[in-house]
């Protein structure tokens, strides 16, 4: 008869390996000297293997079996029950995957990643094609091993967005096509593009850093429990409940990159920092899902950071650090960070076009997994869909089908999280506005404490206790409803573009 | 019948845990947010325990027994034999220590460290006394468990300086007392102190960093395989064969601190960077001893960095970064970094007085371990010996017996390494001068490549293959001889102080 404390200690042990691994990855991206990579990879491999072995060990299985038994489960408190439930679900999922499939996937994606990079550099899809074929085939195998009811793609979706189904997604994308696509087309035809020339110039990187730190201060980011560094691709990493680190990147020609990267990652960090400390080193110490996480980063980046209230406050900070903005009004600044563009690149897309970039990827990967299209058809399908949704055709595959790393990594089922994150953030925001009538004037004076607290109380404090749908319903009273997002976009961009 | 490759892989596995631990410590001292410490300590504890268990495991014992057997040992190459020999010695040493003693020592030193800090802050030796008593008693137990032939203190010495004996040390300190003490007294009485006012002022920390980086460049430090950061106490850490990091600290009133800290740690780093890559993740991937390591740091810090040749080259760099030095000659700068002072604090001592700080500590700890003095007598003994050797009496225990962390850590036997490092460096230098007749003009033009290469070929490339005495004899043709150091000091400081 194991004690629950022993189970927690075992989880803590596993987590501690994870903490070391997180630091080792963070260090590679931020500080490690160039030549460190070779031995660091081996050390990472060693600890990752040790962690994985413990995660799927018989000992873990015995703990979970014991505490999942009705009579023992019933004895546990609410949090402990959730901890067992979540851990058991993950454990069972892992156990369904044959070890040789896991190994094969790791090997294949490692090779595929290498050839994806080369293919993109040389704009040569055929270099990547055979490896992608193999990845797709293994992903299908993985979906079969995991099991599903209706659609093979559901099994992969569930890895990133627990409970999400292809049917729901399709309903959502249809709604967006029906209601957002015409609006976007109208905007491109009849909208009046605001000024944004003042955002382009030559901006000292140290001053950009200062500005980013000001934005984090506004967000109540606790610098005693985190830090900000620079890396090629911005990311957030949690090393401890009071050690959450973000990175940003700088473009000296346009300060919007670093500012919004910082607010985006800052949003992820706030989520991690406010998951209760008691959840640390347990299965509950995570966001509810990738998409719920993304709802937090997009909330701070877009709804707050690209919102009119924030710029009433922040324009003074901007001008203090960059006097060249003197004479530009808050309203002009607000509009200048909300330019809508037909662009080939997802990561640089604005709020209006972004979801169409995702839609295209979702439709392609779902069809691939279900054998309705073949890998060699991808460049053509990509171009067709870009034409259909955004009205543009990429001049080459490097800025087309080869632009994202995800498929080479085997992350089929991940892309929808970005879209769902946007939709969740608008749905949460609509509830927040009702609960916090005074929020606009708070943000205008640079006080985000109540807004943050609302997110903590409604989202952060539950960690991974609830699945996304459950959580959304608990907070907003309904499940995913894309109307909130569409209304938010229409209202915001009608004003900005004078429609 | 285990294969040698399996043994190496097992050692590599252990080392990889060590690499993670090294990074986690480095991060705590340099980057980690303030609140990270609590969970980081637990994670460090977890991995350290796992590493220790593997190090003393039956599996390790079986590997070592097998490859130590005459018939198997004979089959191995020179490096592999050394690897087995060194690993076996460490393993046997660990195995002699009863686990409860190891645990007791860890617990006691953790408490003792806490009370040492408080005692020093409040200048109250009696707060530390009971804990130090306990530490001394456990250290004696440890020495008994490890075993020795003649002097109980030898067992502890051997932990830091393999093969070193109390008798040898006493012979050495007697020699220094006989030949260096009168010279020092003469210097204080009749020497003419050079100018050094130009080194005191207000020096921008970023520019000091620039200067430190110039010094590392001069030393051929490879920034693709290492980096320099800031920490409260400078240190060097090896995370990989191509990932060796140093830290420095800045005093904005006096740039000599950061410059010589950097060169000191840089010397440690060069040693680690030039141990052959094939030794990495084996028992040979270390310096020959603490003192041999210190010989390298002191060589670059003192013999090169505080030498006249270096300043011929470096004064231009200094003036480029700090124009306030314009008009001061290279010779004046050289003399200004070689001021001899009667000071209470070991870490700030110059080359002439430094060894007397160590002598005092060595004599005290040897007597403590052999029950010839008691812990409560320490403050008095300390003051008496300071008076005897340096002619000064500390005004309080905070700058007297309480100044160093070592005893609270249980590092009895460590202090002599600092003195031996100084002596070794002079002995090595005397041989280097014979081998590299052209070295002065090389250094004067900022070219340290041949000097470094001499150290690599004579010291670094052997890693931990040889014990210090063996190594010294191999390189210089004789065992430790303090005459080289005394001659070096007399020659250098007679000129500087016009004696």
């Amino acid at each position: 008869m194991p004690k629950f404390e022993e189970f927690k200690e075992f989880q803590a042990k596993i987590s501690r390996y994870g903490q070391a691994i997180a630091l080792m990855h963070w260090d590679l991206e931020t500080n490690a000297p160039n030549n460190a990579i070779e031995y660091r990879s081996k050390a990472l491999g060693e600890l990752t293997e040790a962690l994985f072995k413990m995660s799927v060990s018989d000992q873990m299985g015995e703990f979970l079996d014991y505490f999942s038994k009705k009579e023992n489960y019933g004895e546990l408190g609410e949090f402990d029950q959730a901890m067992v439930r979540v851990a058991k679900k993950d454990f069972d999922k892992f156990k369904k995957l044959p070890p040789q499939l896991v190994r094969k996937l790791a090997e294949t994606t490692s090779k595929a990643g290498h050839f994806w990079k080369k293919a993109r550099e040389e704009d040569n899809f055929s270099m990547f094609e055979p490896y992608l074929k193999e990845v797709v085939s293994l992903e299908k195998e993985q979906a079969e091993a995991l099991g599903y009811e209706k659609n093979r793609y559901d099994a992969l979706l569930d890895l990133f967005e627990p409970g999400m189904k292809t049917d729901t997604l399709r309903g959502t994308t249809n709604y967006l096509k029906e209601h957002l696509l015409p609006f976007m087309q109208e905007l491109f035809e009849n909208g009046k593009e605001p000024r944004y020339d003042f955002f382009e110039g030559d901006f000292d990187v140290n001053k950009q850093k200062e500005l980013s730190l000001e934005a984090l201060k506004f967000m109540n980011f606790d610098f005693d429990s985190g830090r900000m560094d620079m890396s090629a691709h911005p990311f957030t990493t949690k090393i401890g409940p009071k050690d959450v680190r973000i990175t940003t990147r700088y473009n000296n020609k346009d300060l919007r990159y670093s500012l919004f990267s910082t607010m985006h990652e800052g949003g992820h960090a706030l989520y991690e920092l406010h998951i209760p400390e008691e959840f640390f080193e347990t299965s509950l110490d995570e966001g509810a899902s990738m998409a719920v996480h993304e709802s937090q980063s997009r909330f701070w980046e877009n709804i707050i950071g690209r919102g009119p209230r924030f710029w009433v406050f922040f324009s003074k900070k901007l001008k203090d650090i960059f006097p060249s903005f003197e004479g530009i009004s808050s309203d002009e600044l607000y509009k200048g960070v909300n330019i809508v563009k037909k662009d080939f690149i997802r990561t640089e897309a604005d709020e209006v076009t972004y979801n169409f970039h995702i839609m295209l990827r979702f439709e392609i990967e779902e069809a691939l997994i279900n054998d309705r299209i073949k890998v060699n058809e991808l460049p053509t399908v990509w171009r067709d869909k870009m034409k259909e949704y955004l009205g543009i055709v990429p001049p080459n595959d490097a800025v087309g089908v080869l632009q994202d790393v995800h498929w080479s990594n085997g992350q089929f089922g991940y892309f929808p999280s970005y879209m769902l994150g946007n939709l969740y953030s608008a749905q949460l925001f609509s509830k927040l506005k009702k609960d916090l009538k005074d929020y606009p004037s708070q943000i205008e004076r640079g006080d985000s404490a109540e807004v943050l607290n609302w997110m903590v109380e409604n989202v952060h404090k539950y960690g991974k206790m609830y699945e996304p749908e459950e959580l959304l319903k608990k907070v907003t009273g309904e499940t995913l409803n894309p109307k909130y997002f569409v209304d938010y976009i229409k209202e915001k961009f009608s004003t900005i573009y004078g429609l």
Side-chain angles (χ1 to χ4, degrees), chain A:
Chain A
M1 283 190 306
K3 294 210 176 61
F4 198 73
E5 277 312 307
E6 290 165 3
F7 173 47
K8 281 183 78 170
E9 184 51 33
F10 189 65
Q11 286 187 89
K13 186 189 175 98
I14 298 176
S15 163
R16 286 172 196 143
Y17 280 67
Q19 294 161 43
I21 291 168
L23 178 66
M24 289 158 92
H25 277 294
W26 173 84
D27 180 72
L28 266 187
E29 301 297 327
T30 53
N31 284 316
N34 292 335
N35 296 336
I37 179 76
E38 183 189 346
Y39 288 91
R40 178 65 54 82
S41 302
K42 292 184 195 175
L44 273 166
E46 191 75 48
L47 292 188
T48 306
E49 194 187 314
L51 183 150
F52 184 75
K53 275 187 185 157
M54 289 186 282
S55 306
V56 298
S57 63
D58 293 345
Q59 192 176 356
M60 183 57 122
E62 283 157 24
F63 276 127
L64 289 169
D65 281 348
Y66 181 84
F67 290 110
S68 299
K69 265 193 210 125
K70 216 174 157 193
E71 63 273 27
N72 302 323
Y73 188 77
E75 297 276 297
L76 301 173
E78 187 193 358
F79 290 151
D80 292 349
Q81 287 186 340
M83 196 183 297
V84 169
R85 216 164 51 226
V86 172
K88 180 111 174 66
K89 193 183 163 187
D90 287 344
F91 181 82
D92 291 344
K93 211 183 294 177
F94 271 130
K95 279 300 205 186
K96 282 186 194 162
L97 297 176
Q100 68 273 33
L101 175 61
V102 173
R103 199 167 48 243
K104 197 79 203 293
L105 252 170
E107 283 167 20
T108 308
T109 52
S110 159
K111 258 187 300 172
H114 177 76
F115 285 98
W116 164 73
K117 244 187 202 159
K118 276 183 89 88
R120 190 172 69 158
E121 270 163 33
E122 301 181 19
D123 182 27
N124 182 350
F125 181 76
S126 66
M127 288 178 71
F128 180 40
E129 196 186 309
Y131 301 97
L132 182 56
K133 250 185 208 154
E134 234 183 296
V135 175
V136 171
S137 146
L138 291 168
E139 288 288 308
K140 289 191 279 186
E141 246 184 82
Q142 176 166 267
E144 291 299 327
L146 291 167
Y148 52 88
E149 280 177 20
K150 215 173 142 188
N151 187 318
R152 194 192 269 160
Y153 184 70
D154 287 351
L156 302 178
L157 260 183
D158 195 71
L159 293 174
F160 302 97
E161 195 62 9
M164 181 53 64
K165 305 288 177 215
T166 308
D167 281 353
T168 309
L169 274 182
R170 217 186 297 278
T172 305
T173 56
N174 285 339
Y175 185 92
L176 294 178
K177 280 185 213 174
E178 192 180 337
H179 296 92
L180 195 58
L181 204 52
F183 175 76
M184 184 179 78
Q185 282 154 352
E186 162 79 3
L187 184 150
F188 283 131
E189 260 168 56
N190 301 319
K192 189 175 166 296
E193 188 175 72
R195 269 186 72 185
Y196 62 94
D197 54 296
F198 39 75
F199 276 117
E200 294 171 346
D202 196 3
F203 301 98
D204 179 70
V205 165
N206 284 320
K207 287 187 173 177
Q208 287 195 51
K209 184 175 171 187
E210 225 181 292
L211 190 72
S212 280
L213 293 175
E214 283 294 339
L216 289 176
K217 244 185 256 171
F218 157 80
M219 291 167 70
N220 290 294
F221 183 85
D222 176 3
F223 290 94
D224 278 330
S225 300
R227 48 181 288 129
M228 181 182 79
D229 294 87
M230 192 176 76
S231 69
H233 302 281
F235 67 98
T236 301
T237 196
K238 183 176 202 166
I239 300 173
K242 291 170 186 166
D243 185 1
V244 176
R245 306 180 184 192
I246 70 167
T247 68
T248 193
R249 57 168 178 179
Y250 300 98
N251 175 339
N252 66 344
K253 300 259 165 278
D254 190 336
L255 61 77
R256 289 172 297 182
Y257 283 86
S258 61
L259 178 60
F260 293 108
S261 272
T262 300
M263 293 188 83
H264 182 97
E265 300 306 329
H268 284 305
L270 289 180
Y271 195 176
E272 293 293 340
L273 282 166
H274 292 97
I275 295 175
E277 194 176 337
E278 332 52 296
F279 289 3
F280 190 61
E281 301 179 334
T282 80
S283 58
L284 302 183
D285 183 49
E286 270 185 52
S289 71
M290 296 300 308
V292 176
H293 232 301
E294 200 67 14
S295 79
Q296 298 305 299
S297 54
R298 300 297 263 180
F299 175 77
W300 289 99
E301 175 194 0
N302 288 333
I303 296 181
I304 298 294
R306 288 195 172 93
R309 313 301 181 179
F310 174 68
W311 285 95
V312 171
F313 161 71
F314 206 64
S315 57
K316 177 159 178 351
K317 298 279 171 200
L318 178 70
K319 290 167 188 175
D320 284 349
I321 296 173
F322 294 104
S324 65
F325 286 94
E326 217 52 72
I328 316 289
S329 73
S330 300
D331 191 57
E332 285 174 299
L333 292 170
Y334 160 59
K335 288 176 174 161
V337 298
N338 282 295
I339 302 303
V340 183
K341 284 236 183 280
K342 294 180 188 176
D343 199 308
F344 304 115
I345 306 296
R346 172 185 63 84
T347 55
E348 298 184 2
D350 53 83
E351 287 183 274
V352 179
T353 60
Y354 193 94
N355 291 324
F356 296 103
H357 287 272
I358 298 303
M359 210 176 285
L360 162 162
R361 288 159 174 79
F362 156 61
E363 288 171 356
I364 291 176
E365 62 180 24
E366 190 272 332
L368 268 177
I369 292 298
N370 287 305
D371 300 316
R372 293 198 313 277
I373 57 174
K374 292 204 185 73
V375 168
N376 62 12
E377 298 167 333
L378 282 189
T380 315
V381 178
W382 188 282
R383 280 191 289 269
D384 291 350
K385 285 196 182 276
M386 276 300 275
K387 178 93 185 122
E388 184 186 345
Y389 297 144
L390 287 167
I392 52 175
V393 178
N396 58 52
D397 291 336
V399 298
V401 67
L402 288 171
Q403 72 182 266
D404 293 305
V405 70
H406 303 59
W407 288 339
S408 73
N409 277 347
Q411 294 180 306
F412 285 79
Y414 188 145
F415 280 124
S417 301
Y418 295 118
M419 179 176 74
L420 292 168
N422 293 330
L423 307 187
Y424 292 169
S425 72
Q427 188 163 340
L428 290 168
F429 180 50
S430 130
K431 182 63 168 44
L432 180 148
K433 281 195 290 190
K434 280 182 207 145
D435 290 351
L436 298 181
K437 298 258 182 288
D438 194 32
Y439 105 91
S441 62
Q442 291 168 8
I443 299 296
E444 284 182 7
R445 61 174 189 267
D447 178 1
S448 74
E450 280 203 35
V451 168
L452 171 58
N453 189 51
W454 189 92
M455 281 299 178
V456 173
E457 288 302 316
N458 286 284
V459 179
H460 304 180
K461 79 169 183 193
Y462 299 115
K464 210 184 176 182
M465 277 186 75
Y466 303 111
E467 293 208 339
E469 190 176 48
E470 232 178 321
L471 180 68
L472 209 60
K473 203 164 171 193
K474 199 174 158 74
V475 185
T476 68
E478 55 183 320
T479 57
L480 174 61
N481 183 348
K483 186 176 180 305
Y484 293 106
F485 181 76
V486 171
D487 289 350
Y488 158 77
I489 292 291
K490 282 187 178 170
E491 191 191 327
K492 175 172 179 178
F493 288 91
S494 297
T495 318
I496 294 173
Y497 274 78
L499 293 170

